[in-house]
Amino acid sequence: MNCLGSQPKLSRSKEYDQEVIQINQEILGMEGDPDLQFLLQGGDLLKVRSSSWKKTRYYRLMEDCETMWYESKKPFKTNQKFLLNDISAVRVGRQSEGLKKYTEEHVECRCFSIVFKSRRKNLDLIASSEEEAKQWTNSLQKMISNLSNLNSQQKTEHWIFSCLHKADKNRDDKLSKSELKNFLQLLNIEMDDDYTEMLFEKCDTSKTGYLAGEEIEHFYDLLTDREEIDVIYGEYAKTAGFMSPQNLVDFLIKEQREEATLADAHDIIQKNEPDENAKEKKLLSKDGFLMYIHHPDALVLNPDHREVYQDMSQPLNHYFISSSHNTYLTEDQLRGPSSTEAYVRALLKGCRCVELDCWDGPDDEPEIYHGYTLTSKILFKDVIKAIKEYAFKASDYPVILSLENHCSVKQQEVMAQHMSSILGSALITSPLGDGMPINFPSPEELKGKFLIKGKRLNKLEASFAPEGEEDDDTDMTEEEEVENEHEEEQRKKKKKLKLAKELSDMVVYCRSVPFSSFEDARENLSFYEISSFSEGKAMKLAEESANSYIRHNVDKLSRVYPAGSRAGSSNYNPVPLWNAGCQIVALNFQTTCTNMDVNQGRFLVNGKSGYILKPAFMRNIDTEFDPITLTRGDRLKPKTLHVMVISAQQLPKLNQKESSIVDPLVKVAVYGVPADNAEKETSYVENNGFNPEWNESFQFDVYVPELALVRFTVEDYDSVSDNDFVGQYTLPFNSLKMGYRHVPLLNRNGDVLPSAGLFVHIMVLDAE
């Protein structure tokens, strides 16, 4: 670890900054890198907000090599900053709505956009030349990639060094007692004055009253030492204080419950041991062991489940499908802005069913917005273009376009033309294979394809008859019908909708129809006819007729959407509806909340493909399974989950005031059938977000593991109000790895918190 005090004394601030940059370059492995040097130098860029607001700003990378700084010309406004880790993507050209709307085509090659992970607006920028734009985008993308690819040790070193740099207020390469206390607060830890004094005296071997050079390195070693790792490592390090390959195999088999061989152990040592001498002797040091248990393959999520591992050749309706409601909205349902960026973000999160509320627009161009509200409007064709470009970047599996159609016949024809010309051969416009299908194709067969969900003039079977008979060409839109089924007056006022044949013919496997009853659906509906349910109706069916709902969903698709009363874009709990076999459980992707976290946890596995194969007992038309009563033809195979919450590392500060330190506690919850729902929590640790320890154990009985999810949540304890959210991680029960595991933590937006995590011990046993 390179520390402040290990460098020569510097006399000038500029030299000090150069030293800081040099150390960060070493940690990042980017010494002398020209792209890094370009960003550190910085330059002027034109910031675009509107056709009349285009202003020059000076941008550069700060000395910590992770924060971008830019100068604001506004009076009394401080200069702005953002972290490279907060950037979702750097997009070249006029790809954003703002650049398309407010700039001319001739500046295309000079434009780029910085897209953030949070709700923060895109940063639309124009460089002075095409070459400079390429330099900015290439350099930013390279830095973002390098930061994200740091191993756990490098991330820790980089973060701690940044805190050391901030704590060294007078820039003299030394830490006084007050600066040491400030440094600890930056690390999110508050120590008793006597304990701080004791640590300081222990490290101040020169007795000068400050720490410098090797004294700071000694302090760093004391601070980052993890006693719980020492104990585990010491138990198996039986070869001259190191782990031999056989020692490592013993650990993997006994503690981690893995099928491991000596070849596996050799591979782990080769990849993780930082000491070349130890590596040459085929030994694993404590540092190498720590590196290994932080490796992605050793975390709590089964690494095999990070890729597509399920059978993708089953009919489409045999999968839970990641789905979005009113996808175009970025905020609330009444006044919030509509944006193509909302579709991009949902698709990049693995969403496979997006919604388009379509209305007549000026100049015969259909628009998308939330009808009868003040939400802004976007062009239908722009949305289709955005969907085409981003649909298959996160997943190759099919995307369903759920049309909520309010357009005139004339503009429906325009919709059909846009989808045909933009989506091309990727749009499914006729059944796969020859003849009338009797079942859905599989996600595998539909890779790279788009399906349209909407109204259709006639049954699909009519397309194969010599003279297809047409149904009545008027109907209500599905959500209006379901939402108002008990509101007679409004129903009478509903305007009948005429359908354009060109649009109708694009509906193949997802024909929207009203739902009357399970019996009616069984007798009168074809497999491709899909009903939408408001959350209230769906929840009632899931509670009162769960088995019938599951059987209905064995050969048909069901879509569930939030109640109209959720004006603030809040979300319902999707779990009871998955328990009833509903495939398309649509949520407001723009809203960060526990229910959205659970949704992302469900679709975390299987390569984040957006498709999760339903359990076998939910794919059998004769199933007896009932999540409420736990009736099931084949015997239940319940499990017992044992969780020990051991410690946490480097939790983020919630309040950026240096004196504000979190008091963390951990909640462990199981989501699933009603009998499995449970939550337990640790006590809180006062004033320590850096390395709190709990060593508290919990036990959960899980009756239907195939449907269960496990959620770890860290909160900042507050005795007078609700606890504050720190981070969480949710994953399917059957994707848990046993043994000593690190649990990464995600922020409210679902992005990884760098360096932060939990350390737990997991054991899953067959219930007696």
Side-chain angles (χ1 to χ4, degrees):
M1 164 74 183
N2 287 304
C3 294
L4 287 174
S6 61
Q7 304 298 311
K9 183 175 179 179
L10 301 169
S11 57
R12 296 196 306 275
S13 177
K14 190 172 182 180
E15 291 175 332
Y16 180 88
D17 289 342
Q18 287 301 314
E19 176 193 0
V20 171
I21 291 170
Q22 180 61 36
I23 295 173
N24 276 310
Q25 287 177 334
E26 291 174 10
I27 294 173
L28 297 172
M30 298 183 70
E31 299 95 324
D33 185 274
D35 292 309
L36 176 56
Q37 297 305 317
F38 171 80
L39 292 176
L40 289 166
Q41 179 67 35
D44 288 336
L45 291 166
L46 192 65
K47 182 178 177 181
V48 179
R49 280 190 179 170
S50 69
S51 54
S52 60
W53 199 106
K54 297 174 183 174
K55 299 185 180 181
T56 301
R57 295 286 184 262
Y58 180 75
Y59 291 83
R60 72 172 177 86
L61 185 65
M62 297 184 71
E63 292 78 14
D64 63 4
C65 296
E66 66 176 359
T67 306
M68 287 299 296
W69 172 96
Y70 63 97
E71 186 178 17
S72 174
K73 303 295 185 183
K74 281 189 177 180
F76 311 116
K77 187 165 183 178
T78 57
N79 293 323
Q80 304 296 297
K81 299 176 185 177
F82 59 86
L83 294 173
L84 293 179
N85 272 324
D86 290 339
I87 297 175
S88 171
V90 180
R91 296 190 189 143
V92 180
R94 297 167 62 247
Q95 292 195 51
S96 72
E97 285 178 336
L99 288 173
K100 286 177 182 175
K101 190 173 181 181
Y102 303 128
T103 64
E104 303 296 329
E105 285 188 22
H106 71 269
V107 298
E108 172 84 30
C109 62
R110 294 162 46 203
C111 294
F112 66 96
S113 298
I114 294 176
V115 183
F116 295 96
K117 295 174 181 175
S118 64
R119 287 190 183 184
R120 182 172 179 165
K121 290 181 180 178
N122 292 353
L123 189 54
D124 292 330
L125 302 165
I126 303 177
S128 60
S129 68
E130 180 179 0
E131 292 72 25
E132 187 179 326
K134 286 180 179 177
Q135 180 71 71
W136 274 105
T137 55
N138 291 340
S139 299
L140 285 168
Q141 288 168 343
K142 184 175 185 178
M143 281 301 300
I144 293 165
S145 175
N146 279 25
L147 284 169
S148 65
N149 289 327
L150 294 178
N151 62 40
S152 60
Q153 183 178 348
Q154 289 170 320
K155 287 178 182 176
T156 299
E157 286 191 3
H158 188 222
W159 178 62
I160 289 181
F161 176 71
S162 295
C163 292
L164 276 169
H165 170 51
K166 292 175 185 175
D168 186 18
K169 298 289 188 184
N170 61 359
R171 299 188 167 197
D172 64 353
D173 293 334
K174 303 169 185 175
L175 285 182
S176 65
K177 287 182 183 179
S178 62
E179 286 176 332
L180 181 66
K181 191 172 182 66
N182 177 247
F183 168 60
L184 292 170
Q185 290 175 338
L186 288 169
L187 291 182
N188 207 0
I189 182 170
E190 182 77 47
M191 286 188 180
D192 176 86
D193 286 344
D194 291 340
Y195 187 68
T196 305
E197 179 81 20
M198 183 271 290
L199 273 181
F200 190 89
E201 296 298 333
K202 188 173 184 179
C203 296
D204 183 18
T205 54
S206 63
K207 305 302 178 187
T208 55
Y210 55 79
L211 304 185
E214 292 182 357
E215 294 171 333
I216 294 180
E217 292 196 24
H218 183 206
F219 178 75
Y220 168 82
D221 291 339
L222 287 175
L223 196 63
T224 56
D225 183 56
R226 290 181 55 185
E227 185 180 351
E228 71 274 32
I229 300 298
D230 294 346
V231 171
I232 299 166
Y233 180 77
E235 185 72 22
Y236 289 90
K238 304 296 186 184
T239 309
F242 289 83
M243 271 190 183
S244 67
Q246 185 58 55
N247 297 154
L248 182 53
V249 168
D250 292 343
F251 166 77
L252 293 172
I253 292 174
K254 182 178 178 183
E255 301 293 349
Q256 308 299 77
R257 302 300 173 103
E258 295 184 9
E259 296 178 0
T261 65
L262 282 173
D264 295 325
H266 284 296
D267 186 54
I268 289 171
I269 293 171
Q270 188 64 33
K271 289 179 179 177
N272 296 280
E273 179 52 53
D275 187 305
E276 290 300 325
N277 290 330
K279 186 187 291 188
E280 192 174 327
K281 296 175 182 176
K282 296 182 172 53
L283 297 174
L284 189 67
S285 66
K286 189 176 73 173
D287 286 343
F289 178 72
L290 187 58
M291 292 274 284
Y292 166 65
I293 62 172
H294 270 292
H295 191 277
D297 288 348
L299 301 180
V300 71
L301 173 67
N302 187 332
D304 294 338
H305 294 188
R306 295 203 307 264
E307 308 301 325
V308 174
Y309 73 98
Q310 295 180 331
D311 178 6
M312 301 302 282
S313 63
Q314 297 286 320
L316 189 75
N317 64 314
H318 284 183
Y319 298 82
F320 298 124
I321 303 171
S322 179
S323 307
S324 164
H325 169 67
N326 286 358
T327 313
Y328 48 90
L329 293 176
T330 60
E331 294 177 13
D332 65 77
Q333 307 281 315
L334 301 179
R335 297 175 180 271
S338 304
S339 171
T340 57
E341 186 62 37
Y343 286 91
V344 173
R345 293 189 180 199
L347 291 166
L348 291 178
K349 284 187 174 182
C351 179
R352 297 292 88 188
C353 179
V354 295
E355 186 176 19
L356 300 85
D357 278 10
C358 309
W359 300 80
D360 281 356
D363 303 320
D364 289 331
E365 282 293 350
E367 295 178 321
I368 290 178
Y369 64 98
H370 200 193
Y372 310 113
T373 70
L374 299 176
T375 59
S376 64
K377 303 173 182 180
I378 49 179
L379 291 178
F380 177 84
K381 65 179 179 181
D382 287 345
V383 169
I384 299 300
K385 287 176 183 176
I387 290 172
K388 167 68 172 176
E389 183 171 355
Y390 288 93
F392 305 111
K393 289 187 182 293
S395 168
D396 294 330
Y397 291 97
V399 170
I400 301 170
L401 307 185
S402 180
L403 300 183
E404 183 64 23
N405 179 13
H406 305 269
C407 291
S408 63
V409 170
K410 185 176 181 181
Q411 294 210 15
Q412 288 178 45
E413 291 170 353
V414 176
M415 288 168 59
Q417 290 167 9
H418 285 323
M419 288 193 288
S420 179
S421 63
I422 295 168
L423 302 180
S425 61
L427 178 63
I428 294 291
T429 55
S430 60
L432 303 187
D434 300 322
M436 176 63 200
I438 58 173
N439 206 345
F440 289 97
S442 69
E444 191 66 32
E445 292 173 296
L446 292 168
K447 264 186 173 180
K449 300 294 184 181
F450 295 97
L451 302 176
I452 304 299
K453 173 191 163 294
K455 292 291 181 181
R456 183 183 167 92
L457 288 171
N458 53 14
K459 287 261 192 181
L460 188 61
E461 289 86 345
S463 302
F464 294 88
E467 293 184 10
E469 60 179 50
E470 292 193 353
D471 290 347
D472 181 7
D473 67 347
T474 62
D475 210 337
M476 287 181 289
T477 59
E478 60 185 291
E479 293 205 7
E480 289 173 330
E481 181 172 7
V482 177
E483 284 278 24
N484 297 299
E485 60 181 344
H486 300 304
E487 300 175 28
E488 291 296 328
E489 289 306 311
Q490 286 205 23
R491 184 187 292 140
K492 289 175 185 175
K493 294 177 185 176
K494 286 296 173 189
K495 200 174 176 181
K496 295 293 184 177
L497 176 72
K498 291 184 178 294
L499 291 175
K501 186 176 187 302
E502 293 87 342
L503 186 62
S504 168
D505 288 349
M506 289 180 168
V507 177
V508 180
Y509 290 112
C510 298
R511 185 196 190 200
S512 300
V513 296
F515 176 82
S516 296
S517 67
F518 292 126
E519 182 180 3
D520 173 74
R522 187 166 57 252
E523 294 178 358
N524 299 314
L525 297 186
S526 300
F527 76 90
Y528 58 83
E529 293 181 305
I530 173 175
S531 297
S532 285
F533 303 82
S534 66
E535 67 170 275
K537 183 168 185 176
M539 290 288 188
K540 187 177 182 189
L541 290 171
E543 290 173 7
E544 298 177 359
S545 309
N547 180 256
S548 296
Y549 213 170
I550 290 168
R551 291 188 180 201
H552 172 83
N553 289 320
V554 169
D555 64 359
K556 294 178 181 65
L557 283 167
S558 289
R559 177 178 177 269
V560 183
Y561 58 91
S565 58
R566 294 186 181 273
S569 296
S570 59
N571 280 314
Y572 56 91
N573 180 5
V575 174
L577 302 164
W578 291 327
N579 293 344
C582 296
Q583 301 91 344
I584 303 177
V585 182
L587 298 183
N588 290 303
F589 264 56
Q590 74 272 29
T591 303
T592 58
C593 61
T594 297
N595 292 324
M596 192 62 212
D597 292 340
V598 170
N599 187 77
Q600 292 300 93
R602 168 67 74 201
F603 295 99
L604 176 69
V605 297
N606 206 33
K608 293 186 178 179
S609 63
Y611 286 84
I612 299 295
L613 185 64
K614 294 197 283 187
F617 56 81
M618 301 184 91
R619 293 182 269 130
N620 177 0
I621 195 65
D622 298 317
T623 183
E624 296 178 18
F625 176 69
D626 188 312
I628 309 298
T629 63
L630 293 185
T631 302
R632 185 160 135 195
D634 53 337
R635 191 172 63 84
L636 285 170
K637 298 173 183 176
K639 302 286 185 181
T640 300
L641 170 64
H642 297 270
V643 178
M644 173 182 264
V645 179
I646 300 171
S647 61
Q649 296 77 45
Q650 299 165 41
L651 301 176
K653 292 170 72 72
L654 301 184
N655 187 323
Q656 291 309 306
K657 289 183 179 178
E658 292 177 358
S659 59
S660 177
I661 311 297
V662 300
D663 302 326
L665 60 82
V666 179
K667 292 182 177 179
V668 183
V670 175
Y671 292 79
V673 300
D676 289 345
N677 293 331
E679 181 178 86
K680 299 179 181 181
E681 68 179 67
T682 67
S683 56
Y684 70 92
V685 175
E686 192 170 357
N687 288 331
N688 188 351
F690 181 71
N691 56 2
E693 291 190 18
W694 292 276
N695 294 308
E696 295 186 33
S697 297
F698 306 119
Q699 178 177 318
F700 300 87
D701 294 322
V702 181
Y703 293 94
V704 188
E706 299 95 330
L707 289 173
L709 296 151
V710 180
R711 174 178 165 88
F712 299 89
T713 309
V714 181
E715 294 180 352
D716 180 14
Y717 173 75
D718 194 316
S719 60
V720 295
S721 63
D722 290 342
N723 296 343
D724 291 320
F725 174 88
V726 176
Q728 69 84 31
Y729 191 73
T730 307
L731 73 165
F733 180 92
N734 281 344
S735 296
L736 286 168
K737 289 287 281 183
M738 289 193 277
Y740 291 101
R741 302 290 174 180
H742 280 102
V743 180
L745 291 175
L746 311 181
N747 63 19
R748 266 298 182 209
N749 294 311
D751 301 311
V752 175
L753 290 167
S755 303
L758 293 173
F759 188 52
V760 301
H761 185 270
I762 303 286
M763 190 58 61
V764 177
L765 302 172
D766 292 332
E768 296 180 0

